Amino acid sequence: MVSNSVKENRTVENIEHIFKAAKQHGFEVFISPHYYYPTDYGWNFAGTVERMMLESREFDRKGALSLDGFLRSGADWLDRYKPFIEDGKTIVVSPHKAYGPQSNDLVLQLRKRNISKVILLGMLANICVEAHLRDLIEQGFEVLIVKDATAAPQHPDLGDGYKAALINFGYLANAVLSTNEAVKAMA
């Protein structure tokens, strides 16, 4: 459901471009991963996309204290991102479980570093990115969205999540820029 949006936006390449610029210009980088542990399969209810992710087991990890099976799983990083994420400087916060950072320590990590402005990108635009945007704004952060360093599902019945996200980004974010515009602003 996401592949066309990823290709159209050049999401994978644009995320890498933002990683490079962030590291080059001394920005702190935070990753808010999405993992499911075996205990999460005991949930009694889930939203539409949560059910899809749980059924596909795409973000499965064997447990919070284990990296067994992490490499090459849907929860692993793309190889091209590993040099940026595994550099000993990137902050990988605890996983979010539904969509937003309310269930992880992203806000704590940002506040402990006196960060008040966030450049936000990643998957999925209309779900996790938008949920992070909404919570960060409610928590008092200024948030810039990199609109082509994200993508969203396109579903015949549910609609185009990317178009929906762009509309909401425009209404909610402090700024919405392309990758090239964001990289220029970071310099």
Side-chain angles (χ1 to χ4, degrees):
M1 290 192 304
V2 181
S3 64
N4 287 339
S5 183
V6 169
K7 289 174 192 165
E8 290 168 11
N9 292 341
R10 300 189 73 243
T11 304
V12 172
E13 296 84 357
N14 288 334
I15 290 173
E16 183 176 23
H17 201 70
I18 294 292
F19 269 135
K20 285 179 182 175
K23 296 297 182 173
Q24 178 183 356
H25 298 294
F27 284 75
E28 290 196 76
V29 175
F30 297 77
I31 306 294
S32 177
H34 193 136
Y35 300 143
Y36 289 123
Y37 304 132
T39 52
D40 297 328
Y41 289 90
W43 294 352
N44 290 319
F45 61 92
T48 302
V49 174
E50 279 179 300
R51 273 194 315 276
M52 290 177 184
M53 289 186 292
L54 287 163
E55 288 169 3
S56 70
R57 304 183 88 78
E58 68 182 304
F59 297 111
D60 275 7
R61 292 218 3 231
K62 293 194 190 253
L65 303 177
S66 173
L67 286 176
D68 290 345
F70 180 68
L71 294 176
R72 306 282 182 245
S73 72
D76 191 9
W77 327 119
L78 292 179
D79 286 337
R80 68 195 302 161
Y81 298 160
K82 287 180 182 183
F84 306 109
I85 298 171
E86 297 174 353
D87 66 353
K89 297 177 184 173
T90 297
I91 298 97
V92 179
V93 303
S94 59
H96 62 277
K97 292 297 180 164
Y99 309 118
Q102 299 89 338
S103 60
N104 73 12
D105 66 333
L106 177 62
V107 171
L108 172 72
Q109 295 292 344
L110 291 166
R111 294 232 186 266
K112 289 286 192 174
R113 289 168 173 78
N114 290 322
I115 294 172
S116 62
K117 297 179 181 183
V118 174
I119 299 171
L120 186 60
L121 52 123
M123 302 294 285
L124 297 167
N126 64 318
I127 301 172
C128 295
V129 174
E130 186 174 322
H132 278 68
L133 167 65
R134 288 175 182 271
D135 190 62
L136 290 169
I137 286 172
E138 293 286 347
Q139 296 278 350
F141 293 90
E142 289 182 55
V143 183
L144 178 154
I145 295 283
V146 184
K147 64 184 175 183
D148 56 356
T150 188
Q154 298 167 328
H155 189 275
D157 297 324
L158 299 174
D160 187 332
Y162 185 69
K163 286 181 183 175
L166 286 181
I167 291 168
N168 287 339
F169 292 167
Y171 280 108
L172 299 169
N174 299 96
V176 180
L177 301 178
S178 70
T179 295
N180 290 337
E181 292 167 330
V183 167
K184 186 176 178 182
M186 291 166 78

